[in-house]
């Protein structure tokens, strides 16, 4: 399975800060925001990842992540000159996807929970259609909402409904079979010239090949797209990390745990940042694994 992180857009809700810097490069507590969606793809076992951003911001992502080899990844980059909707990622990334299934994650979405990696890997196997991930919220009117039958098969998808049929918001993480590339290319753009992800999902729904996985309790889903949500996410992560002595979305640790790199390589990465708490944590992770 290939992976795509959509880290474009103008970040207008975070102006004036994002007038000079991509939203996905802002810190969420002690790491760049993009570390969190990247770690989700890695936890799903995905190593070949495309990052889509604006022409202005791509060099900064490349400076941060390089070709990904230090994490045992293959990271490439593509430009989205103007925002054209989420599904535009499959048109831009068609060559990257090739003949494989693909996972798309939004660059400002944060997931954390017990045994999340196992769940991701299970859902990414033998995909036939699309797999969406639902999360219960108190204000479903603000989201795309999925309604399912008893087996988890999607019955309906509504975008910001006035009277929601369920309380399960569709998160910014999507798994698709390879048909998604052609579907995205053939979906009619909206009035704002956007290739909407809901329209792509609707095609799968009409084919009877759309499933919604209920993430439910025990897992946190955070959107860091506003100043308030950015602060709330940072405070949540700070509390967990300081109380448990862990680093959430530490790419070096995830790469080691997933078998993408060995303890020696992890130690070398930690040594580069040994003057920081983050680097010392990586060194400890490597020592425990060695």
């Amino acid at each position: 399975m290939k992976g795509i992180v959509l880290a474009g857009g103008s970040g207008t809700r975070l102006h004036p800060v994002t007038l000079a810097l991509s939203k996905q490069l802002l810190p969420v507590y002690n790491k760049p925001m993009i570390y969190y969606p990247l770690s989700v793809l890695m936890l799903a076992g995905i190593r070949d990842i495309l990052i889509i951003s604006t022409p202005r911001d791509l060099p900064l992502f490349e400076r941060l992540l390089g070709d990904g080899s230090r994490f045992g990844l293959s990271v490439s980059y593509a430009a989205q000159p103007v925002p054209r909707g989420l599904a535009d990622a499959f048109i831009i990334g068609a060559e990257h996807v090739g003949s494989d299934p693909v996972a798309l994650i939004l660059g400002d979405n944060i997931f954390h929970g017990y045994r999340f990696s196992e769940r991701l890997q299970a859902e990414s196997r033998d995909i036939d259609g699309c797999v969406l991930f639902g999360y219960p919220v108190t204000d479903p009117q603000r989201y795309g909402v999925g309604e399912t039958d008893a087996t988890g098969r999607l019955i309906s998808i509504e975008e910001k409904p006035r009277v929601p049929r369920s309380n399960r918001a569709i998160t910014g993480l999507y798994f698709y079979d390879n048909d998604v590339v052609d579907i995205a290319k053939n979906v009619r753009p909206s009035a704002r010239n956007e290739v909407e992800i809901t329209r792509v999902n609707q095609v799968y729904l009409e084919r009877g090949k759309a499933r919604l996985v209920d993430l439910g309790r025990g897992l946190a889903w955070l959107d860091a797209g506003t100043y308030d949500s950015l602060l709330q996410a940072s405070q949540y992560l700070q509390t967990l990390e300081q109380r448990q002595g862990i680093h959430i979305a530490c790419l070096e640790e995830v790469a080691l745990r997933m078998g993408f790199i060995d303890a020696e390589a992890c130690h070398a990465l930690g040594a580069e940042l040994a003057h920081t708490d983050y680097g010392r944590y990586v060194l400890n992770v490597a020592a425990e694994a060695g």
Side-chain angles (χ1 to χ4, degrees), residues 23 27 81 93 100 126 129 151 163 173 200 230 235-236 255 268 276:
K23 170 177 65 175
D100 295 314
D126 303 320
T151 68
V163 183
L173 175 63
V200 170
L230 185 63
Q235 291 174 330
Y236 169 83
T276 67

Side-chain angles (χ1 to χ4, degrees), residues 87 91 179-189 195 199-200 203 207:
I91 300 173
D179 289 349
V180 72
V181 175
D182 287 333
I183 292 172
K185 288 178 179 178
N186 288 293
V187 164
R188 182 179 298 176
V195 188
R199 299 187 185 203
V200 170
V203 172
R207 294 179 178 179

Side-chain angles (χ1 to χ4, degrees), residues 30-51:
N30 53 9
K31 302 172 198 72
M33 187 185 296
I34 197 169
Y35 270 38
Y36 297 92
L38 261 180
S39 70
V40 170
L41 296 182
M42 293 169 69
L43 289 169
I46 299 169
R47 303 177 70 167
D48 196 347
I49 298 170
L50 176 69
I51 294 174

Side-chain angles (χ1 to χ4, degrees), residues 5-249:
V5 180
L6 185 56
S10 54
T12 54
R13 292 184 297 171
L14 289 170
H15 281 178
V17 172
T18 49
L19 289 172
L21 185 68
S22 167
K23 170 177 65 175
Q24 290 84 8
L25 290 170
L26 295 176
V28 181
Y29 184 38
N30 53 9
K31 302 172 198 72
M33 187 185 296
I34 197 169
Y35 270 38
Y36 297 92
L38 261 180
S39 70
V40 170
L41 296 182
M42 293 169 69
L43 289 169
I46 299 169
R47 303 177 70 167
D48 196 347
I49 298 170
L50 176 69
I51 294 174
I52 298 176
S53 190
T54 65
R56 180 198 71 174
D57 294 318
L58 277 179
L60 299 177
F61 287 105
E62 293 188 58
R63 181 179 177 184
L64 176 66
L65 301 167
D67 64 2
S69 58
R70 67 180 132 158
F71 304 117
L73 306 175
S74 174
V75 176
S76 53
Y77 303 87
Q80 186 184 46
V82 295
R84 293 194 67 247
L86 307 188
D88 189 45
F90 302 115
I91 300 173
I92 294 171
E95 185 175 343
H96 167 73
V97 175
S99 59
D100 295 314
V102 60
L104 171 68
I105 187 168
L106 305 188
D108 61 359
N109 272 223
I110 299 169
F111 296 84
H112 176 257
Y114 179 61
R115 302 183 76 172
F116 187 42
S117 179
E118 295 176 24
R119 194 161 195 181
L120 290 173
Q121 292 176 54
E123 297 297 341
S124 66
R125 297 189 192 106
D126 303 320
I127 291 179
D128 180 21
C130 77
V131 179
L132 310 178
F133 294 85
Y135 192 82
V137 295
T138 57
D139 50 354
Q141 298 88 348
R142 294 178 52 232
Y143 303 91
V145 174
E147 178 191 14
T148 66
D149 62 18
T151 68
R153 185 177 62 87
L154 266 175
I155 300 173
S156 69
I157 304 173
E158 298 177 287
E159 190 65 30
K160 297 181 179 178
R162 295 178 63 182
V163 183
R165 297 181 182 180
S166 84
N167 70 335
R168 280 171 289 186
I170 297 174
T171 70
L173 175 63
Y174 314 84
F175 289 175
Y176 295 97
D177 63 17
N178 193 255
D179 289 349
V180 72
V181 175
D182 287 333
I183 292 172
K185 288 178 179 178
N186 288 293
V187 164
R188 182 179 298 176
S190 68
R192 295 186 298 173
N193 201 33
E194 294 182 345
V195 188
E196 298 288 359
I197 199 72
T198 300
R199 299 187 185 203
V200 170
N201 294 337
Q202 191 71 35
V203 172
Y204 280 104
L205 177 64
E206 292 168 0
R207 294 179 178 179
K209 290 189 173 183
R211 194 160 58 85
L212 184 69
V213 174
D214 192 354
L215 294 176
R217 296 185 179 183
L219 188 135
W221 170 51
L222 307 169
D223 175 340
T226 67
Y227 283 115
D228 285 343
S229 61
L230 185 63
L231 177 61
Q232 290 165 2
S234 293
Q235 291 174 330
Y236 169 83
L237 294 164
Q238 179 190 35
T239 299
L240 280 181
E241 291 195 5
Q242 291 185 353
R243 186 155 302 183
Q244 298 181 2
I246 60 173
H247 274 261
I248 297 166

